[in-house]
Amino acid sequence: MATERMQVLTKGFFKENPVFIIMLGLCPTLGVTTQVVNGIGMGLSVIFVLVFSNIFIAMLKNIIPNSVRIPAYIVIIAAFVTIVEMVMHAYAPSIYQALGIFLPLIVVNCIILGRAEAFANKNTVLDSFLDGVGMGIGFTLSLTLIAFIREVFGAGTITLVPIGGFDGVIEIPLLYTYPVRVLTLAAGALLLMGYLKAFFEWNAARKRG
Amino acid sequence: MAYIAIFITYIFINNFILSQFLGLCPFIGVSKNSESAIGMGMAVTFVMGIASIITWVVYNLVLLPLGLAYLQTLSFILVIAGLVQFVEMIIQKNSPALYQALGIFLPLITTNCAVLGIAIMNITEGYNIMESFSAGIAAGIGFTLALVLMSNIRERLDLHPVRKAFRGVPIAFISGGLMALAFMAFDKSLLTNLLG
């Protein structure tokens, strides 16, 4: 039983990674990943919305009539997105600015509606919670990876949260002077995503033998 | 002049797919053949135009006077979901031929971030109702343009040998990236050169 629970939690990390394997939630994945801190901020917002919407949908699954379930899910998701928007606006205004339009667009992020439809409406509250956490962490890991590659090679910096005297920006000597600028642009994001996806396909084929 | 600027901006300079990353899921998912790409593009353009008007009215005439601006996201997505359902019913009843062509794409549009994206953008840009409508139509045309170009590229790619790991989605992303590079030729200076 315990190992099954662990599987529900960890399958989202790599085996069913929402970005690279299931290919859901691509718009924010490419739109906000110009800096590492934005990737992490987006990931945390999605974890919050995903976990709470999964819990609520799992709790309400017997009450919501089947024919109006999609609009009902959207209302639940939109409510949590509004909470995230207001909290971010108040406590992390710089990330709120950087995420811009992609923060309200979490509502239509296919990962969240996809997990509601594929998992939360047939499973228990605890399993749905674990599924939300696992998928959310998988999403955050992917975003952080893409943002890390794009920022390190495209701008020669790693931007994290400023703490105390540290302003939150790490500069990488050679790359800072000669960055591969295209990676920070829209075209670079699409190219990088293509190569990463090809790498994961190659890796999966190699494992199958 | 302002309307021409809006059209050029949303079709070429800020193309929704190739520079704003809005609507990537259908860009990858529905671009396998050009017929369905055109169908999807037309359906999205249609819904974006109407959604721009209705969300503008909802925001400026209902939410703002009542001081409920924080309900923007929630009310917009509900309006769009309702609108898509409504459009689907009307088309099904009045034009079976159009329904045949667009029908299967309509339910997908609710969760297309391009539609909610343009609704929110109209508000943040402070457009009036006609500008919102033009921006909606223009963004839809830009979306259709990218989708149709992509589907033609993918139809050609099907006939050529592609390395196994790159087949399907990865090569689609790389083609998209190359298209985005080409679209970088359109920038703000285009507007100043054309319109002065």
Side-chain angles (χ1 to χ4, degrees), chain A residues 33 100 139 188 193:
Chain A
T33 50
F139 182 72
M193 187 68 200

Side-chain angles (χ1 to χ4, degrees), chain B residues 70-85:
Chain B
Y70 64 91
L71 285 179
Q72 182 191 333
T73 312
L74 184 63
S75 50
F76 281 11
I77 188 70
L78 281 180
V79 167
I80 291 169
L83 175 71
V84 170
Q85 195 87 53

Side-chain angles (χ1 to χ4, degrees), chain B residues 20 25 110 113:
Chain B
Q20 309 268 332
C25 301
T110 312
C113 34

Side-chain angles (χ1 to χ4, degrees), chain A residues 126-208:
Chain A
L126 180 62
D127 279 346
S128 305
F129 166 74
L130 292 175
D131 179 76
V133 174
M135 283 289 162
I137 292 175
F139 182 72
T140 311
L141 285 178
S142 322
L143 250 67
T144 313
L145 172 72
I146 298 173
F148 184 79
I149 299 176
R150 284 183 71 188
E151 203 190 347
V152 166
F153 292 99
T157 54
I158 301 173
T159 311
L160 299 166
V161 189
I163 306 163
F166 171 61
D167 69 349
V169 182
I170 303 166
E171 287 174 12
I172 298 156
L174 199 59
L175 284 167
Y176 187 70
T177 338
Y178 304 107
V180 189
R181 196 68 79 192
V182 70
L183 275 175
T184 55
L185 303 172
L190 289 165
L191 290 173
L192 177 67
M193 187 68 200
Y195 283 110
L196 282 174
K197 176 71 182 156
F199 171 76
F200 282 101
E201 300 253 309
W202 172 78
N203 200 27
R206 197 181 50 119
K207 274 193 191 143
R208 279 196 300 269

